[in-house]
Amino acid sequence: MRTGITWLLCALLVGGSISILGAAPPLITGIEIEGAIATPLLNDAVGTLAGRPFSRAAVRESVARLWALGQFDQVWAEEVPGPGGVRVRLHVVPRPTIRQITWDGETGLDIADLVAAADLFLGGDAGRARLDRARQAILDLYAREGYFQAAVEIQDRSRPETASHDLTIRLHAGVRARIGAIRVQGSSQPDVERQLKLHAGDAYSQRTVAQRVRATEEALRKEGYYTAHIALTGATWDPATNRVPLDIEAGLGPQYTVSFSGVMALKEATLRDKLSFADAGVVDELETDTSARQIEAAYRDQGYAFAQASGTLRNSTIHFDVTEGPRVTIHAITFSGNTAFPADQLRKKMQDHLPGLFDKGLFHRETLDRDVLVLTAFYRVEGFTDVAVGPADIQFTDDRRQVEIAIPIHEGPRLAIGRIDVTGAVVIPAEDLVRALPFKPGDAWNTERESEARRSLTRLYGQKGYLGVRIDFEPTREDERVNLAVRIREGMQTRVGRILVTGLVETREDTVLRELTMHSGDPFAPDQLVESERWLSELGIFDSVQVGPIQPPSAPFVDIEVTV
């Protein structure tokens, strides 16, 4: 607890309202803010305390809202007795923030990568601990890219009158290290060295070396070394030579030979791509069986519904025996029980088709299963919530080259929307909410209507800054009608807090802020984020623009980060 705070501040932390021997609480005669200039944003955070009976809970809420702005390192309250009541004095200690960032010196790397590593932005934290983390992050990036002798200095010029800081980041990348000797331990060293494509004397980059090691392992597995394992076991910088020798452990294992029999319709190269050995790094009976199932799936994708494959593993030889069977096309798709929609309309909803000019009409059992689900969803969207579609009856011809598909449908009653009653709306009139709904009485009813309506009303409230609105629907079925009761709990209005701009190198911050459609203290509307992104993008001076909340929005304030 800070010194100098009266007994009333201690009471503030307990909760409740002041009551001395049953007397009414004193009135709050005024509000003072010490440590910062009062702005509309600060006044909104404090709220309307003056003229109200003193309440510990109300003062605690004001302190919490000031703290939520993220502009202060300390916030506390003090009670000052006076004529006619008490004054509440709110003390704040501004958080040091960044006003300007200047990059200088020999960068060595792309300046954008260095800016991203530092993660410093205008309006952000300028505390010493944060600057130390930024400096270390830049040094870590340099080390990963081979600049082990890099030096980074962050010069900080503070402006006490505004608690803001001007930073100058001086860089000296130094000489980039080179790859030293490459020592490969394990079997078949020439094969590994050939695939690595790394050479002594190349510029060192931790990322590049790791990528080459992974690519080498993948390439060897494609050549039949399915159990190959390549790992970087050592990469230590030698300051005397400014080189990084590489120690690589290589275990190739046997080179497997894969053969097929019975394959005529598909190319063997297509089937090899379906084998699971390279991805698994394992060759055993289980993976052999898994690969056989993958081969069957490849045939089914091409309409060979009866294809079968089996695999055998002997030493370093893997053999697959394939029985392709006939290619199956769809001869007919029929429906029964459909009275609301004609068969042609239902067929257009399906992925399975009869043969045509641009469609071979191949039969896929998995696709048919999905089509049954698609038809079910279609009926429910149209108000047939009790519909039952399928299972499909499949009949093959004697030569198994064609199939007839019959899909039974039990439609059930079609439900329509009846009355719509809205309660709890204050900020937006109930009739405006009803007009904003994506449906009206008499339209088909389905359970998705609730989600559509919630999105529409939430967006409408969001445009006015009410992001915590709660919308509940209570559908009541009455014969073939569904009456809707819409319950609204509007919550608090959310306003824009701080607007932080990151990624600027040459452009002034006020150039960005001028193009935004929102300002600190305005009601927060998510649509303004998209609009601000569009305006900034149309300036033509940024490669990319992102505008969004730093944290998920919540009452009473949300901070906005503009990243360019």
Side-chain angles (χ1 to χ4, degrees):
M1 185 71 68
R2 296 182 57 90
T3 59
I5 302 178
T6 64
W7 63 269
L8 181 57
L9 178 59
C10 298
L12 284 174
L13 302 178
V14 179
S17 301
I18 291 181
S19 179
I20 302 175
L21 300 178
L27 292 178
I28 298 176
T29 58
I31 303 294
E32 301 175 6
I33 299 178
E34 293 286 341
I37 299 174
T39 65
L41 181 61
L42 294 187
N43 292 334
D44 283 340
V46 172
T48 55
L49 294 177
R52 296 169 54 187
F54 187 90
S55 165
R56 297 168 183 152
V59 174
R60 281 202 307 273
E61 289 177 2
S62 295
V63 171
R65 287 196 294 267
L66 284 172
W67 182 257
L69 292 177
Q71 297 182 1
F72 308 111
D73 270 346
Q74 298 179 45
V75 181
W76 73 96
E78 180 184 5
E79 172 260 344
V80 181
V86 298
R87 296 182 65 81
V88 175
R89 184 174 295 156
L90 298 170
H91 297 265
V92 297
V93 177
R95 176 171 296 170
T97 58
I98 299 172
R99 190 185 76 95
Q100 180 178 325
I101 304 175
T102 303
W103 295 79
D104 188 24
E106 174 200 352
T107 63
L109 299 175
D110 190 323
I111 188 65
D113 293 335
L114 295 166
V115 170
D119 195 25
L120 297 173
F121 49 86
L122 303 184
D125 184 7
R128 175 46 51 188
R130 180 66 189 88
L131 298 184
D132 288 342
R133 289 199 303 273
R135 177 179 176 275
Q136 189 58 52
I138 297 172
L139 288 172
D140 291 343
L141 174 61
Y142 271 126
R144 290 195 299 271
E145 293 301 320
Y147 292 94
F148 296 98
Q149 304 176 58
V152 178
E153 179 188 5
I154 301 181
Q155 297 179 347
D156 180 5
R157 297 188 303 278
S158 63
R159 302 167 63 89
E161 68 278 7
T162 60
S164 62
H165 294 244
D166 293 342
L167 305 180
T168 299
I169 303 177
R170 301 194 181 279
L171 307 172
H172 177 69
V175 180
R176 192 174 198 172
R178 300 281 170 175
I179 294 175
I182 302 175
R183 299 183 289 264
V184 179
Q185 299 178 352
S187 58
S188 303
Q189 295 181 12
D191 289 332
V192 176
E193 293 173 357
R194 171 176 56 85
Q195 295 282 3
L196 274 173
K197 298 179 182 178
L198 292 172
H199 306 91
D202 289 350
Y204 173 78
S205 165
Q206 183 186 91
R207 178 175 52 186
T208 299
V209 171
Q211 289 174 344
R212 296 284 174 81
V213 169
R214 285 197 303 270
T216 298
E217 184 177 89
E218 293 172 1
L220 289 170
R221 290 185 179 183
K222 288 181 179 179
E223 292 181 2
Y225 294 97
Y226 293 131
T227 59
H229 178 69
I230 313 297
L232 178 68
T233 57
T236 304
W237 174 56
D238 181 1
T241 62
N242 198 27
R243 296 221 166 195
V244 183
L246 303 180
D247 292 317
I248 297 174
E249 184 70 31
L252 267 63
Q255 186 175 24
Y256 289 88
T257 301
V258 178
S259 60
F260 301 87
S261 61
V263 174
M264 293 175 17
L266 302 183
K267 294 180 180 180
E268 287 191 5
T270 300
L271 301 182
R272 289 180 189 275
D273 288 341
K274 302 298 181 181
L275 303 181
S276 63
F277 305 114
D279 291 335
V282 176
V283 178
D284 57 14
E285 295 293 343
L286 176 61
E287 287 303 322
T288 302
D289 185 63
T290 299
S291 295
R293 304 289 80 75
Q294 295 286 82
I295 291 171
E296 290 177 350
Y299 271 97
R300 287 196 298 272
D301 287 343
Q302 298 300 317
Y304 293 87
F306 299 100
Q308 293 182 332
S310 60
T312 55
L313 170 62
R314 292 189 180 90
N315 299 323
S316 59
T317 300
I318 307 170
H319 179 75
F320 292 98
D321 183 39
V322 178
T323 302
E324 295 179 333
R327 199 176 200 183
V328 183
T329 57
I330 299 174
H331 178 65
I333 301 175
T334 60
F335 303 90
S336 60
N338 57 307
T339 58
F341 307 103
D344 286 345
Q345 184 176 357
L346 298 178
R347 290 192 192 99
K348 290 179 180 178
K349 302 293 180 183
M350 301 173 62
Q351 284 187 301
D352 271 326
H353 293 96
L354 299 174
L357 183 60
F358 300 106
D359 195 325
K360 296 179 181 179
L362 300 177
F363 172 68
H364 307 96
R365 181 55 193 256
E366 293 83 359
T367 303
L368 178 59
D369 292 340
R370 288 196 298 269
D371 285 339
V372 169
L373 296 177
V374 168
L375 292 174
T376 302
F378 167 69
Y379 264 96
R380 288 177 178 169
V381 166
E382 294 298 327
F384 295 88
T385 58
D386 300 329
V387 69
V389 180
D393 180 51
I394 303 171
Q395 297 293 331
F396 294 95
T397 57
D398 292 341
D399 60 4
R400 302 192 303 176
R401 294 184 178 276
Q402 291 184 321
V403 63
E404 294 182 354
I405 301 171
I407 302 177
I409 299 175
H410 176 70
E411 294 178 335
R414 188 174 195 173
L415 301 182
I417 297 172
R419 298 187 311 276
I420 302 176
D421 298 316
V422 178
T423 59
V426 176
V427 175
I428 302 175
E431 55 269 23
D432 291 347
L433 295 176
V434 172
R435 282 194 295 268
L437 294 173
F439 49 76
K440 60 184 183 299
D443 288 351
W445 165 258
N446 63 77
T447 54
E448 293 298 319
R449 292 297 199 184
E450 287 188 27
S451 299
E452 297 172 7
R454 184 173 286 105
R455 284 194 295 268
S456 296
L457 298 187
T458 299
R459 179 172 180 177
L460 190 61
Y461 269 101
Q463 291 171 349
K464 295 183 177 296
Y466 288 83
L467 305 184
V469 62
R470 181 170 176 179
I471 304 170
D472 295 317
F473 292 87
E474 298 177 9
T476 303
R477 185 166 173 173
E478 183 180 339
D479 297 327
E480 296 185 5
R481 294 260 171 182
V482 175
N483 300 321
L484 276 182
V486 186
R487 314 295 185 195
I488 307 291
R489 277 178 276 184
E490 294 174 332
M492 294 178 61
Q493 189 179 45
T494 300
R495 293 184 177 273
V496 177
R498 296 178 300 164
I499 299 179
L500 308 179
V501 183
T502 68
L504 292 179
V505 178
E506 299 178 356
T507 307
R508 293 172 55 88
E509 181 181 8
D510 55 7
T511 301
V512 175
L513 296 177
R514 186 172 59 246
E515 298 298 327
L516 298 179
T517 61
M518 66 189 78
H519 303 89
S520 295
D522 290 349
F524 174 73
D527 288 350
Q528 292 179 345
L529 302 178
V530 178
E531 188 69 9
S532 295
E533 277 192 10
R534 185 175 69 83
W535 280 108
L536 288 173
S537 297
E538 290 179 354
L539 290 178
I541 60 177
F542 302 119
D543 289 329
S544 64
V545 177
Q546 289 184 335
V547 181
I550 295 179
Q551 300 177 13
S554 60
F557 292 99
V558 56
D559 293 338
I560 304 299
E561 182 174 31
V562 182
T563 305
V564 298

